[in-house]
Amino acid sequence: MMIDPSPFQARRQRLLQEMQARGGGVALIPTAPEALRNRDTHYPYRFDSYFYYLTGFREPEAALVLVAGDTPRSILFCRDKDVEREIWDGYRFGPDAAREAFAMDAAHVIDDLARMLPDLLADQPALFYALGHDAAWDKRITEGLNAARANTRSGVTAPASVADVRALVDEMRLVKDASEIALMRRAAAISAEAHRLAMRESRPGMFEYEIEAVIGQCFRRAGAQAPAYPSIVASGPNACVLHYIENDRKMADGDLLLIDAGCELDGYASDITRSFPVNGRFSGPQRDIYALVLAAQAAAIDATRPGATWNAPHDAAVQVLAQGLIDLDLLEGSLDGVLENQDYRRFYMHRTGHWLGLDVHDAGEYKLGGDWRPLVPGMTLTIEPGCYIRPADDIPEAFWHIGVRIEDDALVTADGCELITADAPKTVDEIETLMEQMRDTP
Ligand code: GLY
Ligand code: MN
Ligand code: MN
């Protein structure tokens, strides 16, 4: 596979500058360990997002070392070439090819890191490292630091501080660069197509997992490596279980189906939810709740623009939902009272979005100095209000089990936001028309 190393190289240069601005030092960023699923079988491997963001390198057993200073250096540690293992497990770059392909200043085999670490740390003012993230790496790092300290009698100084490298990289990851935005657009388009297919294929009597399979097939056929998170295909009562992933219920006539599914493409997540009637026609109460959530989403989208704070879309969605629930007699009291007491949380208990990127709930602080941070162009986030009505004596039965969430992925632009998932049908008319066409074509 050919990789364009330039975006990764640019990110390393920026991180090196950030380190230099804090007095310099050395950063160590390992990738994720492989994880056993059972006995000798591993889970499909997924690299660490921080490591990948800075390298583009997808093999396990690797680490990046960045040395700030007058001649900043990027050093990759990775597995050696191994003819025997490559017969079983496939190609490995090895240090020489990896240095070239990923535009590193140097590359070594990972087994050399422990030996080289004391020298890499020597006379460096600080180590930038995600302490506490991985106990095995913490142990190696501690040993390296202690070995550097043991050399102090020969005039070497060991880093005086260990700073969390994630704090620096998180700020970079919050604002996406052009190559990230291009990937996220493609991931979003694949996931939107998967939701269209799910609408076309759904029929009463099918099992939720059949629709999960339609979605998974669409992801893979388009080249996406995996779902970015376990797909939620939740019909009827399951739509009110926020993290439902069993996907094993037979869908019935009259059910709503809530699907929260998005692919991961070259490391980047998409995250879409659509809710629609399995039989293709919304009932009256389903339509009422759907229209309300859609209006709440429209208000939140409107509030997503540069200068607005992170919380503005949530506040906007909550206002609309609270008023709508009062109008439908599902909540009692005044709007101010319902907002004040947070009575709406009975039906809307989650937040309206999260950062989106390499991780579906992406890196980045939501507050700065105690206040919600302002949105800036290049940020990517989800906008996903919902309404979930469980059976209760004080709720008319016609509303029971209605669970609706509408989730799109937004890119903050110069004057507002762009929904990169807009190809997934969303209005009542769009959904009913698409599903009617499907029913007419057996
Ligand atoms: N799919 C995870 C979320 O919506 O946050
Ligand atoms: Mn989400
Ligand atoms: Mn989601």
Side-chain angles (χ1 to χ4, degrees):
M1 186 185 50
M2 280 297 290
I3 304 119
D4 174 9
S6 52
F8 303 98
Q9 197 174 19
R11 292 172 203 154
R12 291 197 296 273
Q13 279 161 2
R14 233 188 99 196
L15 177 55
L16 282 159
Q17 283 162 9
E18 297 288 342
M19 290 162 60
Q20 195 60 25
R22 285 161 181 77
V26 54
L28 194 145
I29 300 127
T31 196
E34 294 172 286
L36 267 184
R37 183 172 184 274
N38 59 318
R39 197 178 286 269
D40 58 354
T41 302
H42 290 86
Y43 284 103
Y45 182 68
R46 169 58 159 73
F47 40 77
D48 175 81
S49 295
Y50 291 99
F51 174 83
Y52 182 75
Y53 180 76
L54 295 165
T55 62
F57 192 68
R58 299 186 188 189
E59 291 180 24
E61 298 185 79
L64 174 69
V65 172
L66 296 176
V67 186
D70 294 339
T71 41
R73 279 185 304 144
S74 296
I75 309 169
L76 182 71
F77 289 83
C78 65
R79 298 181 303 193
D80 206 355
K81 294 294 289 177
D82 184 332
V83 175
E84 177 69 11
R85 286 316 319 166
E86 289 184 51
I87 290 170
W88 291 88
D89 301 332
Y91 179 76
R92 300 174 171 199
F93 275 91
D96 291 341
R99 182 178 47 73
E100 190 79 17
F102 296 90
M104 298 285 164
D105 298 302
H108 303 276
V109 294
I110 186 80
D111 293 341
D112 285 348
L113 179 58
R115 184 176 51 75
M116 293 174 67
L117 196 53
D119 282 346
L120 287 165
L121 295 173
D123 297 326
Q124 293 290 348
L127 170 64
F128 294 85
Y129 168 73
L131 189 64
H133 178 66
D134 180 321
W137 274 103
D138 287 356
K139 184 165 178 291
R140 276 173 228 159
I141 298 300
T142 307
E143 285 166 5
L145 281 169
N146 284 339
R149 287 176 191 132
N151 288 339
T152 50
R153 260 169 299 168
S154 48
V156 167
T157 59
S161 69
V162 179
D164 196 335
V165 68
R166 290 174 295 193
L168 303 184
V169 186
D170 283 354
E171 283 300 303
M172 294 169 57
R173 282 176 58 181
L174 254 183
V175 178
K176 271 61 182 178
D177 62 32
S179 68
E180 294 183 286
I181 291 170
L183 270 175
M184 290 185 70
R185 281 186 197 284
R186 280 178 50 211
I190 293 167
S191 298
E193 174 63 11
H195 279 265
R196 289 182 70 84
L197 288 173
M199 286 176 194
R200 296 172 65 97
E201 297 278 329
S202 292
R203 285 168 177 72
M206 288 175 75
F207 283 87
E208 293 163 343
Y209 51 71
E210 295 179 69
I211 299 304
E212 181 186 355
V214 168
I215 292 165
Q217 189 196 37
C218 177
F219 291 170
R220 274 313 268 152
R221 288 189 77 153
Q225 287 81 2
Y229 52 90
S231 300
I232 296 171
V233 183
S235 65
N238 296 334
C240 294
V241 180
L242 294 179
H243 290 163
Y244 173 80
I245 53 169
E246 285 78 11
N247 301 350
D248 58 1
R249 179 175 174 274
K250 192 174 195 172
M251 305 186 294
D253 202 10
D255 284 348
L256 270 186
L257 178 60
L258 181 156
I259 300 179
D260 185 345
C263 70
E264 179 178 301
L265 178 70
D266 293 345
Y268 282 83
S270 52
D271 185 5
I272 303 182
T273 307
R274 290 293 183 265
S275 311
F276 58 90
V278 171
N279 65 14
R281 303 281 314 171
F282 286 90
S283 73
Q286 288 172 350
R287 187 182 299 251
D288 287 343
I289 298 299
Y290 191 86
L292 175 57
V293 177
L294 194 59
Q297 202 212 25
I301 292 166
D302 213 41
T304 303
R305 56 188 134 77
T309 65
W310 161 258
N311 213 42
H314 181 64
D315 284 343
V318 163
Q319 286 257 348
V320 172
L321 280 169
Q323 184 61 57
L325 290 164
I326 294 168
D327 295 345
L328 289 167
D329 285 331
L330 293 169
L331 285 177
E332 281 178 12
S334 67
L335 178 60
D336 285 347
V338 164
L339 293 174
E340 171 78 19
N341 301 330
Q342 302 198 344
D343 294 338
Y344 59 84
R345 288 180 60 97
R346 177 176 176 190
F347 304 108
Y348 183 42
M349 58 298 284
H350 60 75
R351 295 191 53 85
T352 304
H354 48 82
W355 306 129
L356 182 73
L358 283 166
D359 300 320
V360 64
H361 297 160
D362 205 29
E365 297 290 345
Y366 291 91
K367 284 191 170 179
L368 284 181
D371 295 320
W372 296 113
R373 76 184 305 153
L375 299 175
V376 302
M379 288 176 162
T380 45
L381 60 143
T382 66
I383 305 177
E384 51 175 308
C387 183
Y388 314 90
I389 307 177
R390 287 173 169 264
D393 288 346
D394 58 340
I395 304 284
E397 211 172 320
F399 286 101
W400 289 7
H401 302 308
I402 294 181
V404 170
R405 177 163 65 256
I406 306 172
E407 176 174 29
D408 281 290
D409 302 345
L411 166 68
V412 181
T413 59
D415 55 3
C417 73
E418 178 195 336
L419 298 188
I420 59 176
T421 44
D423 288 347
K426 190 159 68 172
T427 66
V428 168
D429 271 358
E430 282 169 349
I431 291 171
E432 290 191 341
T433 305
L434 177 75
M435 295 187 72
E436 193 159 358
Q437 284 164 359
M438 142 227 125
R439 280 183 302 180
D440 292 346
T441 37

